[in-house]
């Protein structure tokens, strides 16, 4: 097993590039920038991918390309061919996501952060991936939880300000920070809780990483 790492799916990688929050997100999990890993194809996708050109302004894609030169790419492959084959057979899990999941299965201390609901639904609903789900349960950090943790540490305004440049590129960000820098913390937290609750009702209650809250610790 390798040292602890936080794997970053491309959708969140772009948002963290545009917001400059890599170090702060890593610190939430007692990691540093050197422990972050991205998919190898990020730079090429941002430079040439039509989907990315359509969904992200040039300045955001430029920031993503620059960030890709400072975040280590994933350099390992899935060692268990049976896991790789299971993941490759599911239509709504692309090769990059399959790599992230396979490595998460094989490295029990690693975490993965993603905002891709389609990918999570495919993982949750595919009967063939039952063993994969069990292996990664509790180690997938959705975008809403990333925001929730950041707001809990930094407060609402610094986080809202950081996401200003990418807010309109992502539906979750545009809803949660609907008033931009003037978004109220109560509104933000209520929106996050609602979105996480809806997602868990869709994919099951145990798949996502959920931080232990203070009141839960005190009641044990």
């Amino acid at each position: 097993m390798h040292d602890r790492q936080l794997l970053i799916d491309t959708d969140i990688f772009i948002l963290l590039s545009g917001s400059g929050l890599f170090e702060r997100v890593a610190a939430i999990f007692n990691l540093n920038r050197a422990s972050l890993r991205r998919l190898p194809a990020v730079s090429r996708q941002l430079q040439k991918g039509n989907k990315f050109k359509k969904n992200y302004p040039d300045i955001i894609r430029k920031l993503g390309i620059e960030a890709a030169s400072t975040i280590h790419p994933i350099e390992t492959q899935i060692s268990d061919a049976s896991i790789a084959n299971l993941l490759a057979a599911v239509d709504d899990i692309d090769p990059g996501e399959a790599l992230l999941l396979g490595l998460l299965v094989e490295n029990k201390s690693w975490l993965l952060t993603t905002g891709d609901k389609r990918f999570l639904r495919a993982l949750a609903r595919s009967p063939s991936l039952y063993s994969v789900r069990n292996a990664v349960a509790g180690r997938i950090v959705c975008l809403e939880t990333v925001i929730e943790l950041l707001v809990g540490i930094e407060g609402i305004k610094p986080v809202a300000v950081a996401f200003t440049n990418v807010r309109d590129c992502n539906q979750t960000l545009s809803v949660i920070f609907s008033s931009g820098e003037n978004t109220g913390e109560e509104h933000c937290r209520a929106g996050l809780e609602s979105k996480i609750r809806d997602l868990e009702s869709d994919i099951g209650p145990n798949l996502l990483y959920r931080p232990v809250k203070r009141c839960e610790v005190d009641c044990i």
Side-chain angles (χ1 to χ4, degrees):
M1 181 183 295
H2 298 81
D3 293 336
R4 289 183 67 230
Q5 294 180 5
L6 175 62
L7 306 178
I8 307 174
D9 202 358
T10 301
D11 60 321
I12 285 191
F13 183 88
I14 297 169
L15 301 181
L16 296 182
S17 300
S19 61
L21 290 172
F22 283 111
E23 285 82 2
R24 280 181 272 181
V25 170
I28 290 171
F29 305 104
N30 296 315
L31 298 170
N32 55 34
R33 195 181 183 97
S35 301
L36 304 178
R37 293 293 183 274
R38 63 169 176 84
L39 287 168
V42 165
S43 294
R44 176 177 53 77
Q45 289 175 322
L46 290 174
Q47 288 173 333
K48 300 181 179 180
N50 290 331
K51 181 183 77 171
F52 295 93
K53 290 180 180 180
K54 176 182 177 181
N55 293 334
Y56 300 97
D58 290 348
I59 183 59
I60 300 304
R61 290 189 294 110
K62 181 180 178 182
L63 289 171
I65 292 167
E66 291 173 355
S69 68
T70 69
I71 301 292
H72 293 300
I74 294 169
E75 297 178 337
T76 55
Q77 295 296 316
I78 304 169
S79 60
D80 188 333
S82 64
I83 294 174
N85 291 336
L86 281 175
L87 292 165
V90 178
D91 289 340
D92 283 335
I93 296 179
D94 67 32
E97 293 161 347
L99 175 61
L100 294 170
L101 276 177
L103 293 177
L104 201 64
V105 170
E106 295 181 338
N107 296 274
K108 304 305 182 185
S109 66
W110 290 15
L111 297 168
L112 163 64
T113 184
T114 182
D116 191 329
K117 306 298 191 295
R118 172 196 52 79
F119 151 54
L120 291 176
R121 292 186 189 100
L123 171 62
R125 297 175 181 177
S126 300
S128 62
L129 298 184
Y130 179 80
S131 61
V132 173
R133 282 198 304 279
N134 284 344
V136 304
R139 292 189 289 129
I140 297 179
V141 191
C142 67
L143 173 61
E144 291 82 356
T145 295
V146 169
I147 299 170
E148 180 183 52
L149 292 169
L150 285 169
V151 170
I153 294 170
E154 309 257 342
I156 177 67
K157 187 161 187 176
V159 180
V161 170
F163 280 120
T164 296
N165 290 337
V166 291
R167 187 177 68 239
D168 294 337
C169 301
N170 179 272
Q171 184 179 22
T172 293
L173 293 179
S174 65
V175 170
I176 297 303
F177 300 112
S178 58
S179 298
E181 298 175 16
N182 297 316
T183 301
E185 186 160 341
E186 184 176 346
H187 167 86
C188 176
R189 288 186 178 278
L192 290 169
E193 289 175 6
S194 176
K195 282 185 167 293
I196 293 170
R197 185 168 57 248
D198 289 347
L199 180 56
E200 288 187 325
S201 70
D202 197 14
I203 66 173
N206 301 316
L207 187 55
L208 298 178
Y209 172 92
R210 297 298 293 133
V212 177
K213 297 182 179 179
R214 176 70 62 183
C215 61
E216 295 171 350
V217 174
D218 293 341
C219 292
I220 295 176

